[in-house]
Amino acid sequence: MVVRSSELTPEKISNMRGGKGEVEMTHLLSKEVMKNRARLFAKMKLPPGSSVGLHRHDGEFEIYYILSGEGIFHDNGKDVPIKAGDVCFTDSGESHSIENTGEKDLEFLAIIVLL
């Protein structure tokens, strides 16, 4: 199976999970294709100053792989600077958020795996 970028439609979300600004999310695969073992595989784009608000994961974990840009990953109350090439992991029972503090778009892959 190959999914062409021309087949994908970005979705604009304002104040995602209580965050700031507008986030662009492009679903790369559906839950059905992932056999309901993951609920999200998406490319995220956060313009400067935007964020995904603080939220908790239960019965699942989330991974971010930072493609470009820079920002702050809020990891269970600890602020960690991030940049391209970094991997952020949030386990079940943990909370996180992410914010673009740079001058260019912060782009990353987001994957939520069900336990």
Side-chain angles (χ1 to χ4, degrees):
M1 169 186 204
V2 173
V3 178
R4 305 272 181 215
S5 60
S6 60
E7 300 170 352
L8 302 172
T9 305
E11 174 185 0
K12 304 271 187 169
I13 303 167
S14 294
N15 309 107
M16 186 171 189
R17 297 203 175 257
K20 298 182 283 189
E22 188 172 76
V23 173
E24 182 179 286
M25 178 167 53
T26 304
H27 290 274
L28 302 175
L29 292 174
S30 69
K31 289 186 270 188
E32 293 75 28
V33 168
M34 296 183 288
K35 311 270 189 240
N36 291 313
R37 293 191 174 126
R39 74 172 175 92
L40 179 76
F41 179 44
K43 181 178 180 189
M44 308 291 291
K45 184 190 296 185
L46 281 65
S50 64
S51 67
V52 175
L54 183 67
H55 60 284
R56 180 181 166 99
H57 289 274
D58 288 303
E60 62 190 24
F61 61 86
E62 186 166 23
I63 304 163
Y64 292 161
Y65 176 70
I66 309 303
L67 299 169
S68 63
E70 57 187 45
I72 298 290
F73 180 68
H74 306 284
D75 181 23
N76 291 295
K78 181 179 177 186
D79 293 344
V80 182
I82 54 168
K83 62 182 183 342
D86 290 343
V87 176
C88 307
F89 179 81
T90 304
D91 207 352
S92 180
E94 296 182 345
S95 298
H96 70 133
S97 65
I98 189 168
E99 181 176 0
N100 183 347
T101 58
E103 296 181 13
K104 297 181 181 176
D105 289 342
L106 174 62
E107 296 184 303
F108 57 97
L109 297 177
I111 303 163
I112 298 177
V113 177
L114 303 173
L115 297 176

